[in-house]
Amino acid sequence: MKEKKGVVVTYDRMRCDFCGACVGVCPADAIVLWEADLEIDREKCTGCLRCVYVCPYRALSATTD
Ligand code: SF4
Ligand code: SF4
């Protein structure tokens, strides 16, 4: 696993409003926003959690594996 401290960001499509806020704060360019979907590249993600804190809909959460 490349994630820092084993952090894995989990995405909940049912909560997401596709506002793009998480994409803007990700320093690793790990988030790709499609028309109605969002993808997190686990290889790029450093586990900084900025996206988790910025999401106004709590669509992103962090777990460890
Ligand atoms: S945890 Fe940080 S690096 Fe990973 S997707 Fe979120 S903002 Fe990007
Ligand atoms: S910040 Fe939250 S609601 Fe906005 S696109 Fe990202 S996951 Fe979806």
Side-chain angles (χ1 to χ4, degrees):
M1 289 293 120
K2 284 190 174 180
E3 289 79 21
K4 193 185 293 179
K5 300 174 191 165
V7 172
V8 178
V9 177
T10 305
Y11 163 64
D12 182 347
R13 188 190 300 203
M14 299 305 289
R15 287 175 176 261
C16 181
D17 194 42
F18 310 105
C19 67
C22 56
V23 178
V25 299
C26 179
D29 278 337
I31 306 174
V32 179
L33 184 62
W34 308 98
E35 197 167 318
D37 200 7
L38 184 146
E39 192 178 324
I40 298 170
D41 187 332
R42 289 185 57 179
E43 292 294 317
K44 289 184 178 179
C45 177
T46 61
C48 72
L49 303 185
R50 289 183 198 183
C51 58
V52 174
Y53 290 119
V54 82
C55 179
Y57 301 96
R58 297 186 184 175
L60 297 170
S61 54
T63 57
T64 53
D65 63 356

